Amino acid sequence: MFIKNLIIMEKNLTPEESLQIIQKSIFHSRKNLREGSFYYLLWGWALMLAGLANYFLISHYIRLEHYDSIMPMSLLAWGVFVVAAMIIQFAVIARSSKGERVITHLDRYIKIIWIAAGLLMALMAFLSLRVDSYPTPFILGVTAMATAVSGLMIRFRPLVAGSAIFLIAAVVAIYLKGTDQLLVFSGAMILGYLVPGYILRYSKNGDHV
Amino acid sequence: MYKDLDPILHSQLRLAVISILVTVEKADFAYLKNETGATSGNLSVQITKLKETGYIEVNKKFKGNYPQTTCRITELGRQRFVEYVKAISGYLKPG
């Protein structure tokens, strides 16, 4: 089998056959973009629940007038959901890399954008707390940018629409008080991440590029 | 016949491997095997040949208990692929 294959490989190809091989290979190696829905669903759920948990937690401590507990409990609530999502993400990536693996140019660009967005979100959180403001609108603004770029790169309109939701949510949130901003944040996660994420996952044809 | 075509690329499986790698950042052995439908032995021989000529880079490492061979096209490989496509389109033009 091995030698037979080698002989076949060495036969003279015609230019038409060469072109067929190139076309077949290029079209075949397009990755199914549906796989990307995992990240939007994971982070959509994690951040939506984190926003709601914070809303109830902060409202609860305000009722009790335990103002000193708000900041540490809020940070803890965010931390629990973000760390849980990160652990799930790493576990899923580690498991998938045991099978066949391909990294497209798009995968790399999208990864770079989200790493940059993540760093920018951390910076926004720090800067806003320094000026005694809630970080929610600023984080929503950064999310809008990264979601828009990702959606445009994979040419998936629902995600681009999701980025517009984040942009609107950022503007709305700045006019609301802190706890209500969290409800806007969770709502934006549902419309901006979860809805496009489920559309992507269940779309008949996942390869939009 | 077709003497000006790069003999490294003018081979069914090597051309398929380069065509896949030109479109992606990197791909592992299992992916290339599945996409090309080649046998492991044959694919391994052709990947070694592409590596020896400097058309691709091969990175071998262990991920847990699984050996993982990752391939990536080099600038030279990309350049030769473009030249090869130009050369065959010369043959495909009428007249």
Side-chain angles (χ1 to χ4, degrees), chain A residues 49-151:
Chain A
L49 293 174
L52 286 181
N54 261 280
Y55 173 78
F56 289 115
L57 210 66
I58 294 173
S59 307
H60 176 71
Y61 282 112
I62 288 175
R63 262 199 309 275
L64 296 178
E65 297 184 11
H66 283 186
Y67 299 109
D68 289 346
S69 308
I70 291 177
M71 187 67 168
M73 290 312 285
S74 170
L75 285 176
L76 183 70
W78 284 113
V80 165
F81 284 99
V82 170
V83 170
M86 282 170 111
I87 291 171
I88 294 171
Q89 181 167 323
F90 284 128
V92 168
I93 290 172
R95 213 175 56 185
S96 69
S97 65
K98 281 177 191 164
E100 55 180 71
R101 189 146 165 78
V102 61
I103 297 179
T104 62
H105 298 301
L106 271 182
D107 291 335
R108 186 168 153 256
Y109 300 148
I110 290 176
K111 187 176 160 192
I112 291 170
I113 287 160
W114 283 102
I115 290 173
L119 293 172
L120 203 53
M121 284 178 200
L123 179 72
M124 287 295 167
F126 172 72
L127 294 181
S128 59
L129 292 174
R130 281 287 296 159
V131 293
D132 279 333
S133 170
Y134 285 95
T136 322
F138 307 100
I139 287 178
L140 283 169
V142 176
T143 308
M145 181 278 296
T147 308
V149 177
S150 304

Side-chain angles (χ1 to χ4, degrees), chain A:
Chain A
M1 186 67 186
F2 176 52
I3 294 181
K4 189 180 146 207
N5 259 316
L6 260 187
I7 294 165
I8 293 169
M9 291 316 135
E10 296 309 325
K11 80 164 185 155
N12 237 331
L13 288 168
T14 66
E16 286 82 3
E17 284 170 330
S18 294
L19 189 67
Q20 271 175 7
I21 293 169
I22 294 169
Q23 281 176 333
K24 225 177 89 187
S25 308
I26 288 177
F27 289 123
H28 253 252
S29 63
R30 281 177 172 188
K31 205 180 178 185
N32 193 336
L33 291 171
R34 244 172 296 187
E35 287 169 27
S37 68
F38 162 73
Y39 297 100
Y40 298 107
L41 294 179
L42 172 70
W43 287 99
W45 275 107
L47 295 175
M48 191 264 282
L49 293 174
L52 286 181
N54 261 280
Y55 173 78
F56 289 115
L57 210 66
I58 294 173
S59 307
H60 176 71
Y61 282 112
I62 288 175
R63 262 199 309 275
L64 296 178
E65 297 184 11
H66 283 186
Y67 299 109
D68 289 346
S69 308
I70 291 177
M71 187 67 168
M73 290 312 285
S74 170
L75 285 176
L76 183 70
W78 284 113
V80 165
F81 284 99
V82 170
V83 170
M86 282 170 111
I87 291 171
I88 294 171
Q89 181 167 323
F90 284 128
V92 168
I93 290 172
R95 213 175 56 185
S96 69
S97 65
K98 281 177 191 164
E100 55 180 71
R101 189 146 165 78
V102 61
I103 297 179
T104 62
H105 298 301
L106 271 182
D107 291 335
R108 186 168 153 256
Y109 300 148
I110 290 176
K111 187 176 160 192
I112 291 170
I113 287 160
W114 283 102
I115 290 173
L119 293 172
L120 203 53
M121 284 178 200
L123 179 72
M124 287 295 167
F126 172 72
L127 294 181
S128 59
L129 292 174
R130 281 287 296 159
V131 293
D132 279 333
S133 170
Y134 285 95
T136 322
F138 307 100
I139 287 178
L140 283 169
V142 176
T143 308
M145 181 278 296
T147 308
V149 177
S150 304
L152 290 168
M153 285 211 297
I154 66 169
R155 294 172 213 268
F156 186 61
R157 285 213 188 107
L159 205 53
V160 180
S163 75
I165 298 283
F166 286 121
L167 207 65
I168 295 165
V171 177
V172 171
I174 200 94
Y175 291 105
L176 300 173
K177 65 179 171 117
T179 44
D180 292 343
Q181 287 187 3
L182 291 166
L183 291 181
V184 171
F185 180 86
S186 290
M189 287 299 150
I190 295 172
L191 296 175
Y193 274 168
L194 294 179
V195 171
Y198 282 112
I199 294 174
L200 188 58
R201 166 160 281 191
Y202 295 110
S203 61
K204 253 191 248 162
N205 188 4
D207 36 13
H208 285 262
V209 174

Side-chain angles (χ1 to χ4, degrees), chain B residues 24-90:
Chain B
V24 300
E25 192 71 30
K26 53 187 173 182
D28 76 355
F29 190 86
Y31 180 83
L32 292 173
K33 184 170 179 278
N34 193 21
E35 290 293 314
T36 57
T39 61
S40 296
N42 194 5
L43 184 61
S44 182
V45 169
Q46 306 310 334
I47 282 179
T48 306
K49 199 155 185 176
L50 286 169
K51 185 189 156 195
E52 281 167 358
T53 48
Y55 286 22
I56 66 170
E57 275 170 14
V58 178
N59 188 4
K60 286 184 184 176
K61 62 179 174 184
F62 272 86
K63 206 148 199 179
N65 287 325
Y66 297 80
Q68 201 183 26
T69 304
T70 315
C71 304
R72 178 199 290 270
I73 194 167
T74 62
E75 209 32 64
L76 176 71
R78 196 176 292 278
Q79 204 180 318
R80 290 288 148 83
F81 177 76
V82 171
E83 286 163 10
Y84 181 83
V85 172
K86 273 188 195 155
I88 60 161
S89 38

